[in-house]
Amino acid sequence: MFKDELPWLVESDRPLVDLAAIQRAKLIEFQGLTINEVQVYSAILSKLAATPVDRSRAPSFLDDEEPDEFFGD
């Protein structure tokens, strides 16, 4: 899942991806997260440049010729 969503990740990101996957699994399974776990999950996503603010630091792998599904470009 993260591989498709965050194509800039490399092998050295694996420990953080593992932690993020555990938190995401809890969300998907509707087990819920505590406030602390939400903060940890948010911090992990930020470190992986997976938030809108942090994404600007990640390299772009998007093909500009493909239409944008949300903005119709």
Side-chain angles (χ1 to χ4, degrees):
M1 213 184 231
F2 286 109
K3 181 180 177 183
D4 294 334
E5 296 169 351
L6 309 171
W8 53 85
L9 297 178
V10 294
E11 184 67 29
S12 62
D13 296 317
R14 184 174 292 274
L16 285 176
V17 172
D18 289 344
L19 292 173
I22 290 167
Q23 300 300 331
R24 181 178 274 187
K26 287 182 180 181
L27 284 172
I28 291 172
E29 294 296 321
F30 299 109
Q31 294 178 4
L33 296 176
T34 65
I35 297 296
N36 185 43
E37 289 173 322
V38 170
Q39 291 172 334
V40 168
Y41 186 48
S42 177
I44 293 168
L45 293 177
S46 181
K47 297 244 186 252
L48 295 172
T51 64
V53 172
D54 298 309
R55 195 175 311 128
S56 64
R57 296 183 295 183
S60 176
F61 291 98
L62 299 175
D63 183 357
D64 292 336
E65 296 181 20
E66 290 184 22
D68 187 290
E69 67 179 296
F70 298 107
F71 297 106
D73 293 337

